[in-house]
């Protein structure tokens, strides 16, 4: 049963291993080291093949390449997955300060070439350490002295502590190392592993002395005041000329102390507890966003110092923008002999409640530079966020207003980024404006009156022509009646008069009545005597037609009719 | 033709130079180097003033805590763009810092702001269009004696008059001087032009309306009690 289970497990592991993607991975610890400090390079791969990997000339390899097989268990979706890999470990140190690119490593496998990542190692000069004078202890064959990077530091600044052992005899083995301790509230990070020892030879008082350094650690004190550093202890086995066996020596170093002083007054409002040297940059996750949505603003603070302890800078948001929850913080930093090197990425979640584009203002970060002993300020570059308006979005202006918006001190809006022109002065000025607005109206009046006048003239000409024609026809008809002087004389003269009047005023003969004639008389179109004469003549014609009234001669009637025609024509003219 | 090319070239070079100087000024503002930024914007303001230049000069002064000058330059920017909320927010803030218990009031009334929100070109186009429309109505009225002309004129003439007013306001707005601010904390006012000094002092950040009686050397201004006083033009900012 056990055998079957073992076989099944082996099968599962094999299948998982077969199914895993092939890789080669490069890891270096630490990424920032001092000259002479041990650096460990590890190459991991789950494949086999010919490895091509070169190291910089400045890298001094200590010992051979350590290689082997190992496995790890990864949990993916709550399921354990066994990963088998081979590794190669190279230890050494750099001889000169600088930046060294290591990798990529290449692995030629039957299925192709695998390429690893590359890492830049920052090698810095060793930090100057302060210690008591070792020459005072030369009466001891082996003695230890605490080394520290400073005797006095500012609050928030780090101090580097290290144990240094001086030996005037050959040391065979180190045993029971108890490192020094900072006697106060602090955050301490060991930079060297306990089995890592830096060896060197120094000449003190003309004697060649073997030195060891161990237990290098970086300490961030958490309070101000003077704090003691307790001694480190160590057991050493050294050669004893008087014995066949090595002698065991217990050493206890000196004690030391450090003074942590508070930061000077006058910290700017944007000081967030950063001590060291930093830069700040910001970027949005997108350049445009819908109204009402949450915008992610990433602020990256990079540098050396107490990077891990920096608080998130306060944002001064324009109106209509509110912080949505707490920002998330991701720290990508390593403890090195200079402090914490790397960056802190703070992501703010900002709800956009306004409908128009908005400038994300610059963010200010003030930090204390302990080297220059002054506060410095860095700012980010503001950028424009395009907002897509959403008509359905109801702006949150009620009780849900974020505390940040209410409490935030008002700040001036940022600068205008585009040199847009406002209202420009009119090129033409007031006189030109007067001309362009009044000219069409003036032209319309002049042209209208002119055309109207012309039209009236045309109508008058037509009327005159019509009148002239009517008179001519009437006179022709009258001449004809004069010649004939027949029975139809009265009827002919009556018809002649009515036709003349109808043609002259462009109406039908049926419309010519006594009242119509009187109206024309009242209107002045026919003078009063002529009107009366016309009405009298028409009465005579009616009397003659029905045999009533006085008898008038034909000549008289023709003469009176002709006179009426002439009088009407004159009157109109 | 050659001359035209040269003129165009000079124009573009000049414009690009102006824009790059402007960007430089904006960058200095971001870096909070108020003095250097102010020098650049002053230089740009001398050559060709704009809303952005005046506004950014206001920011420079606000950065230097000279709130009186900041208010003046913000309001000068408002003269060109009276409805710009970005400017209004800043001038309200500057004023509230200077006078925490008082409210800033907009220098232009609602109708003026509405009129000035349309560009001069916009008003001119409207004027021409409505003048032509009115001309057509008058022309057709004269020619055809249409009874509807009366209604048409009744509808068009008030609009036309309003457009003429808008155009006039818009055209004369930039060249007119409306308000002034003291340049220093203490500015002596006079009861008459060049006459006896008045006890009234001009307060920083407080605008004073300029009366039409002003001349090139002396400004006639209204104090808060509407009393007319005289100040030397060189002692005040004018816009």
């Amino acid at each position: 049963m056990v055998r079957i289970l073992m076989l099944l497990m082996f099968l599962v592991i094999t299948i998982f291993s077969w199914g895993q993607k092939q890789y080669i991975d490069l890891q270096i610890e630490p990424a920032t080291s001092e000259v002479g400090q041990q650096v460990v390079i590890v190459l991991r791969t789950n494949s086999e093949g010919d490895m091509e990997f070169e190291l910089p000339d400045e890298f001094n390899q200590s010992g051979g390449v350590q290689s082997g097989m190992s496995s790890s268990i990864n949990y993916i979706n709550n399921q354990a997955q066994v990963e088998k890999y081979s590794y190669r470990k190279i230890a050494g140190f750099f001889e000169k300060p600088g930046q060294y690119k290591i990798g990529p490593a290449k692995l030629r496998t039957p299925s192709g070439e695998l390429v690893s990542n590359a890492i830049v190692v920052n090698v810095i000069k060793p930090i100057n350490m302060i210690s008591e004078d070792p020459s005072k202890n030369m009466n001891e064959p082996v003695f230890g002295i605490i080394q520290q990077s400073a005797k006095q530091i500012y609050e928030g600044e780090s101090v580097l502590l290290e144990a240094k052992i001086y030996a005037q005899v050959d040391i065979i083995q180190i045993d029971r190392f108890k490192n020094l301790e900072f006697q106060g509230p602090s955050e301490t990070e060991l930079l060297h592993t306990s089995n890592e020892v830096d060896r060197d030879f120094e000449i003190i008082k003309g004697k060649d002395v073997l030195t060891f350094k161990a237990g290098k650690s970086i300490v961030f004190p958490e309070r101000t005041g003077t704090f003691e550093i307790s001694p480190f202890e160590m057991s050493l086995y050294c050669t004893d000329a008087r014995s066949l066996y090595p002698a065991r020596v217990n050493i206890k170093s000196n004690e030391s102390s450090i003074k942590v002083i508070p930061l000077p007054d006058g910290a700017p409002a944007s000081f967030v507890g950063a001590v060291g040297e930093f830069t700040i940059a910001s970027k949005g996750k997108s350049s445009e966003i819908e109204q009402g949505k949450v915008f992610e603003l990433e602020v990256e603070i990079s540098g050396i110092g107490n990077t891990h302890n920096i608080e998130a800078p306060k944002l001064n948001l324009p109106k209509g923008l509110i912080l949505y929850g707490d920002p998330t913080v991701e720290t990508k930093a390593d403890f090195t002999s200079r402090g914490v090197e790397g960056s802190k990425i703070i992501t703010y979640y900002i709800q956009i409640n306004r409908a128009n584009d908005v400038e994300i203002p610059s963010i200010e970060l003030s930090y204390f530079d302990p080297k220059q002993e002054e506060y410095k300020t860095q700012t980010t570059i503001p950028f424009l966020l395009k907002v897509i308006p959403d008509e359905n979005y109801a702006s949150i202006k009620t009780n849900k207003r974020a505390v940040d918006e209410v409490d935030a001190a008002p700040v001036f809006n940022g600068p205008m980024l585009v040199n847009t022109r406002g209202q420009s002065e009119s090129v033409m000025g007031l006189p030109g404006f007067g001309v362009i607005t009044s000219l069409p109206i003036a032209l319309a009046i002049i042209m209208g009156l002119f055309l109207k006048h012309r039209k009236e003239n045309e109508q008058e000409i037509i009327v005159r022509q019509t009148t002239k024609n009517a008179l001519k026809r009437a006179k022709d008809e009258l001449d004809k009646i004069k010649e004939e002087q027949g029975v139809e004389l009265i009827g002919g003269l009556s018809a002649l008069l009515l036709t003349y009047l109808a043609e002259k005023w462009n109406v039908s003969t049926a419309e010519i009545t006594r009242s119509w004639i009187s109206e024309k008389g009242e209107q002045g179109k026919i003078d009063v005597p002529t009107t009366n004469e016309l009405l009298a003549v028409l009465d005579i014609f009616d009397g003659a037609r029905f045999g009533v009234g006085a008898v008038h001669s034909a000549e008289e009637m023709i003469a009176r009719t002709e006179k009426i025609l002439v009088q009407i024509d004159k009157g109109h003219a | 033709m050659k001359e035209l090319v040269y003129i165009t070239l000079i124009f573009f070079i000049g414009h690009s130079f102006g824009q790059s100087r402007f960007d430089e000024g904006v960058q200095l503002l971001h870096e909070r180097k108020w003095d250097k930024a102010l020098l650049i914007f002053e230089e740009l303001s001398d050559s060709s003033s704009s809303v952005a230049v005046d506004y950014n000069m206001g920011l420079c002064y606000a950065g230097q805590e000279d709130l009186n000058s900041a208010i003046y330059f913000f309001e000068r920017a408002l003269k060109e763009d009276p409805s710009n909320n970005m400017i209004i927010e800043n001038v309200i803030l500057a004023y509230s810092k200077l006078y925490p218990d008082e409210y800033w009031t907009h220098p232009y009334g609602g109708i003026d702001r509405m009129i000035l929100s349309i560009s001069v070109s916009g008003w001119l186009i409207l004027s021409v269009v409505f003048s032509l429309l009115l001309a057509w109505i008058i022309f057709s009225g004269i020619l055809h004696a249409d009874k509807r002309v009366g209604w048409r004129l009744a509808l068009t003439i008030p609009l036309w008059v309003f457009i003429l007013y808008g155009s006039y306001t818009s055209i004369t707005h930039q060249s007119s001087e409306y308000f002034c601010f003291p340049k220093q904390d203490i500015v002596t006012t006079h009861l008459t032009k060049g006459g006896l000094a008045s006890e009234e002092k001009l307060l920083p950040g407080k605008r004073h309306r300029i009366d039409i009686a002003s001349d090139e050397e002396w400004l006639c201004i209204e104090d808060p009690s509407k009393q007319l006083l005289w100040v030397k033009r060189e002692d005040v900012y004018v816009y």
Side-chain angles (χ1 to χ4, degrees):
Chain A
M1 184 64 186
V2 175
R3 270 179 74 179
I4 293 167
L5 273 172
M6 288 294 284
L7 276 168
L8 273 171
M9 272 183 68
F10 184 74
L11 193 67
V12 168
I13 288 168
T14 312
I15 289 167
F16 270 110
S17 303
W18 185 262
Q20 279 166 3
K21 195 181 172 187
Q22 290 183 320
Y23 70 87
I24 179 166
D25 179 47
L26 173 66
Q27 291 175 351
I28 298 175
E29 278 290 333
T32 301
S33 74
E34 289 180 11
V35 171
Q37 185 185 338
Q38 182 173 278
V39 174
V40 179
I41 301 165
V42 180
L43 281 160
R44 273 170 49 155
T45 179
N46 59 356
S47 187
E48 285 184 357
D50 295 329
M51 177 85 77
E52 187 188 309
F53 181 58
E54 286 183 2
L55 286 163
D57 293 341
E58 291 82 358
F59 185 75
N60 207 326
Q61 192 173 328
S62 335
V65 178
Q66 189 185 342
S67 58
M69 292 288 289
S70 189
S71 64
S72 62
I73 297 172
N74 300 328
Y75 286 89
I76 299 168
N77 296 334
N78 292 329
Q79 285 189 335
Q81 217 177 60
V82 179
E83 184 196 9
K84 288 182 83 177
Y85 60 86
S86 62
Y87 67 87
R88 290 181 187 192
K89 194 184 273 184
I90 306 160
F93 58 90
F94 286 92
E95 292 172 337
K96 288 179 183 172
Q99 288 193 324
Y100 300 98
K101 187 185 173 192
I102 298 180
K106 290 175 183 170
L107 185 71
R108 284 190 199 87
T109 66
S111 56
E113 190 178 72
L114 296 175
V115 180
S116 79
N117 55 319
I119 294 173
V120 174
V121 179
N122 190 19
V123 180
I124 56 173
K125 282 182 184 173
I127 305 290
N128 286 330
M129 301 295 266
I130 306 162
S131 74
E132 288 183 11
D133 185 5
S135 62
K136 290 176 183 172
N137 300 296
M138 288 301 281
N139 55 338
E140 297 286 335
V142 183
F143 58 91
I145 296 176
I146 292 173
Q147 298 219 310
Q148 61 196 91
S149 58
K151 284 280 186 186
Q152 179 178 293
I153 58 169
Y154 278 103
E155 181 186 2
E157 200 181 349
S158 62
V159 63
L160 193 65
L161 302 176
E162 195 171 31
K164 189 168 181 181
I165 303 104
Y166 296 81
Q168 299 182 65
V169 291
D170 288 338
I171 304 296
I172 300 165
Q173 194 181 337
I174 301 166
D175 195 16
R176 285 176 51 201
F177 174 59
K178 183 175 174 278
N179 202 1
L180 49 87
E181 270 180 27
F182 180 86
Q183 299 297 311
S186 66
E187 186 181 3
T188 304
E189 187 75 19
L190 199 63
L191 299 178
H192 280 181
T193 52
S194 57
N195 59 354
E196 201 177 307
V197 175
D198 290 342
R199 289 179 53 161
D200 206 354
F201 285 95
E202 288 178 27
I203 296 168
I204 302 166
K205 279 192 171 177
K207 286 186 181 174
D208 215 5
V209 181
L210 174 69
T211 62
F212 300 94
K213 285 178 192 171
K216 189 185 244 183
S217 52
I218 187 101
V219 179
F220 286 90
E222 289 171 351
R223 279 188 200 158
T224 55
T226 302
F227 300 98
E228 287 186 353
I229 301 165
S230 66
F232 64 88
E233 292 174 35
M234 191 180 270
S235 288
L236 299 152
Y237 291 94
C238 55
T239 52
D240 185 355
R242 297 166 297 179
S243 168
L244 287 171
Y245 302 101
R248 182 175 170 170
V249 183
N250 292 323
I251 60 159
K252 189 175 182 180
S253 75
N254 62 323
E255 286 183 359
S256 187
S257 66
I258 185 161
K259 192 176 180 186
V260 182
I261 57 170
L263 295 174
D265 292 337
S270 56
F271 179 65
V272 285
V275 179
E277 204 176 338
F278 301 96
T279 57
I280 186 168
S282 70
K283 65 173 181 181
K285 201 143 195 181
S286 56
S287 59
E288 63 175 34
I289 194 162
E290 271 182 48
Q291 184 188 4
K293 294 278 165 61
V294 174
F295 172 69
E296 289 182 26
L297 175 68
E298 268 187 17
V299 176
E300 184 171 2
I301 300 168
S302 311
I304 305 163
N306 60 344
T307 314
H308 58 311
N309 289 332
I310 297 173
E311 291 166 21
K314 197 169 184 182
L315 300 185
N316 289 318
L317 294 173
K319 277 185 182 174
L321 270 66
I322 54 170
L323 276 178
Y324 192 82
D326 294 328
T328 53
V329 180
E330 185 190 356
T331 306
K332 291 179 179 175
D334 295 318
F335 283 88
T336 71
S337 52
R338 295 192 292 190
V340 176
E341 289 192 44
S343 63
K344 196 165 196 175
I345 299 162
I346 303 148
T347 307
Y348 296 90
Y349 301 93
I350 302 163
Q351 189 168 38
I352 311 294
N353 287 332
R354 54 195 279 167
N356 47 358
D357 296 352
V358 61
E359 188 186 79
I360 303 295
S362 59
I363 301 157
E364 204 173 87
L365 170 82
S366 292
Y367 63 91
F368 182 73
D369 186 343
K371 284 178 190 164
Q372 296 187 10
E373 295 186 301
E374 63 179 15
Y375 289 100
K376 290 181 175 174
T377 302
Q378 294 265 329
T379 52
T380 61
I381 296 168
F383 59 90
L384 195 71
L385 177 67
K386 288 195 81 172
V387 180
I388 303 161
D390 181 0
E391 288 174 1
N392 299 322
Y393 176 72
S395 183
I396 303 166
K397 290 283 177 189
T398 54
N399 298 331
K400 291 180 181 175
R401 270 177 73 178
V403 177
D404 301 70
E405 192 191 26
V406 178
D407 293 344
V411 289
F412 287 104
N413 288 322
M416 284 189 187
L417 304 176
V418 183
N419 192 6
T420 47
R421 301 218 167 271
Q423 297 275 7
S424 56
E425 284 186 40
S426 168
V427 177
M428 61 184 69
L430 272 181
F433 168 70
V435 170
I436 63 157
T437 49
S438 56
L439 194 65
I441 295 164
L443 278 174
I445 294 169
I446 293 165
M447 285 297 288
L449 288 173
F450 171 73
L451 289 174
K452 191 184 177 187
H453 181 69
R454 215 170 89 171
K455 199 176 167 186
E456 281 172 357
N457 277 354
E458 280 172 3
Q459 281 176 345
E460 203 174 321
I461 289 164
I462 292 165
V463 168
R464 275 185 191 172
Q465 195 62 44
T466 310
T467 310
K468 201 176 170 184
N469 292 341
L471 187 67
K472 192 175 178 289
R473 270 198 294 277
K475 280 187 174 174
D476 289 347
E477 193 64 29
L478 196 65
D479 290 343
K480 208 173 163 185
I481 290 168
K482 274 182 192 171
E483 283 171 15
E484 289 173 358
Q485 288 206 3
V487 184
E488 292 301 320
L489 174 73
I490 298 300
L493 287 174
S494 174
L496 181 153
L497 271 175
L498 293 177
T499 307
Y500 170 70
L501 291 171
E503 280 184 356
K504 183 172 173 64
W505 276 286
N506 197 24
V507 292
S508 69
T509 49
E511 286 178 63
I512 313 290
T513 59
R514 278 176 175 73
S515 62
W516 185 88
I517 292 165
S518 301
E519 203 177 301
K520 290 288 171 196
E522 284 164 11
Q523 287 172 358
K525 300 270 173 80
I526 306 169
D527 58 34
V528 178
T530 311
T531 308
N532 294 337
E533 176 65 7
L534 179 59
L535 291 171
V537 167
L538 288 174
D539 286 343
I540 292 166
F541 290 159
D542 285 347
R545 199 175 292 148
F546 300 110
V548 291
V551 177
H552 298 271
S553 68
E555 287 76 18
E556 184 196 345
M557 293 315 296
I558 290 166
R560 286 177 75 173
T561 304
E562 193 173 2
K563 194 181 172 189
I564 287 168
L565 289 176
V566 171
Q567 285 301 322
I568 291 172
D569 188 49
K570 270 185 185 173
H572 185 78
Chain B
M1 187 63 191
K2 241 181 181 179
E3 283 80 0
L4 194 69
V5 172
Y6 287 143
I7 289 166
T8 314
L9 203 65
I10 289 164
F11 173 78
F12 276 111
I13 290 167
H15 180 76
S16 313
F17 176 74
Q19 187 58 41
S20 65
R21 290 291 284 163
F22 181 85
D23 291 342
E24 204 181 324
V26 170
Q27 182 57 38
L28 288 167
L29 268 183
H30 288 150
E31 291 167 10
R32 292 168 179 270
K33 291 174 180 165
W34 313 117
D35 297 347
K36 288 180 181 174
L38 187 60
L39 283 176
I40 289 177
F41 289 123
E42 275 175 347
E43 180 191 308
L44 288 170
S45 179
D46 291 341
S47 57
S48 62
S49 185
S50 73
V51 180
V53 168
D54 285 343
Y55 171 83
N56 288 347
M57 279 176 82
L59 275 185
C60 292
Y61 282 112
Q64 292 175 332
E65 296 293 325
D66 181 355
L67 294 171
N68 173 55
S69 302
I71 293 169
Y72 163 68
F73 279 101
F74 285 142
E75 287 202 4
R76 204 169 89 163
L78 266 189
K79 187 183 179 187
E80 295 189 55
D81 191 0
S83 304
N84 190 315
N85 283 333
M86 204 167 159
I87 307 171
I88 292 170
E89 283 170 12
N90 274 11
V91 73
I92 287 173
L93 180 58
Y95 194 82
S96 68
K97 282 188 173 186
L98 212 52
Y99 301 102
D101 301 328
E102 292 180 25
Y103 291 103
W104 175 84
T105 51
H106 202 291
Y108 307 107
I111 294 173
D112 283 347
R113 264 184 275 172
M114 190 190 77
I115 287 169
L116 297 170
S117 64
I118 300 172
S119 67
V120 176
S121 313
W123 280 115
L124 288 179
I125 290 167
L126 273 175
S127 300
V128 171
V129 168
F130 267 79
S131 294
L132 288 171
L133 180 69
L134 193 61
W136 177 77
I137 292 168
I138 292 169
F139 179 76
S140 61
I142 290 171
L143 211 60
H144 306 297
D146 196 337
K147 283 179 182 174
R148 286 172 298 181
V149 167
W151 285 108
R152 285 176 188 162
L153 286 175
L155 285 171
T156 317
I157 287 174
L159 266 175
W160 184 69
V161 169
F162 177 73
I163 288 165
L164 286 188
Y165 172 73
S167 305
Y168 173 80
T169 308
S170 179
I171 290 168
T172 55
H173 180 70
Q174 287 309 308
S175 54
S176 303
E177 289 176 337
Y178 296 106
F179 302 104
C180 70
F181 282 87
K183 278 184 183 170
Q184 302 95 25
D185 284 346
I186 299 169
V187 170
T188 311
T189 59
H190 301 260
L191 293 171
T192 55
K193 198 195 290 186
L196 288 172
S198 157
E199 286 182 358
E200 290 290 330
K201 303 288 176 213
L202 303 186
L203 294 170
K206 297 268 188 188
R207 89 174 79 89
H208 295 268
R209 185 172 287 280
I210 298 173
D211 192 79
I212 49 165
S214 306
D215 60 28
E216 286 186 358
E217 194 186 350
W218 289 89
L219 283 178
C220 183
I221 60 165
E222 277 181 10
D223 75 350
S225 60
K226 302 280 177 189
Q227 187 190 341
L228 291 177
L229 296 168
W230 292 84
V231 286
K232 276 195 170 178
R233 189 178 274 270
E234 63 195 25
D235 290 340
V236 289
Y237 290 123
V238 176
Y239 78 86

